[in-house]
Amino acid sequence: MTAKTFTTSLDVRWRDLDAFNHVNNGTYLSYLEEARIRWFAQVGEPWVTEEFAPVIASSTLNYREPVNYPAMLEVELFSERIGSTSVVVGHRIKGADGRIHCDGNVAVVWIDLKTGRPRPLPEGVRRASELLAG
């Protein structure tokens, strides 16, 4: 487990719940998206422009324990692997008590918006990813 993480807090919203009165499994992807956007936004350099943008190539979510309403969650992100055009972002979604509700990773690839092909990582994203590498 890496000590270098980007951490952000998210409130569970009523609309996040499913018929079983806990957070719907698909909502976890939304939580991870919000955390990544917050991380990239604080990089201090463009991470998305009219020329390039990130896309999700794959995601792995291991559901460890349901999240019930109300709850405050901590989303921790860290770099598992940094490539020339992508970064694999590891994640843990934890409750206020520190228990892990979900973990796994998401592969994010930067593409050229004109060609749809992978392009080199933006320098700010590369530096931010290196800071969170184990």
Side-chain angles (χ1 to χ4, degrees):
M1 188 181 297
T2 182
K4 301 174 187 176
T5 61
F6 170 82
T7 303
T8 191
S9 298
L10 297 172
D11 283 311
V12 171
R13 303 160 299 190
W14 182 259
R15 69 179 178 177
D16 297 344
L17 305 181
D18 61 16
F20 300 108
N21 205 33
H22 55 66
V23 173
N24 181 277
N25 62 309
T27 304
Y28 288 76
L29 288 168
S30 255
Y31 293 160
L32 295 171
E33 176 186 54
E34 181 64 26
R36 283 192 310 274
I37 289 169
R38 290 180 186 185
W39 177 34
F40 296 148
Q42 58 86 43
V43 166
E45 295 181 36
W47 58 276
V48 62
T49 68
E50 291 181 10
E51 288 87 33
F52 60 83
V55 296
I56 301 303
S58 67
S59 57
T60 301
L61 285 78
N62 303 304
Y63 300 100
R64 305 292 181 190
E65 185 174 323
V67 176
N68 297 306
Y69 182 88
M72 172 65 76
L73 300 173
E74 294 290 321
V75 181
E76 296 178 343
L77 303 178
F78 50 93
S79 301
E80 288 188 348
R81 188 184 73 71
I82 304 166
S84 59
T85 63
S86 65
V87 59
V88 177
V89 180
H91 60 258
R92 287 184 292 272
I93 299 176
K94 300 164 85 172
D97 58 4
R99 292 191 325 221
I100 296 175
H101 293 279
C102 179
D103 61 9
N105 59 49
V106 175
V108 186
V109 178
W110 265 259
I111 62 165
D112 180 300
L113 292 174
K114 289 181 185 164
T115 67
R117 303 291 306 153
R119 66 163 313 273
L121 284 176
E123 282 306 310
V125 170
R126 176 171 298 287
R127 280 193 298 279
S129 298
E130 288 169 351
L131 288 174
L132 298 186

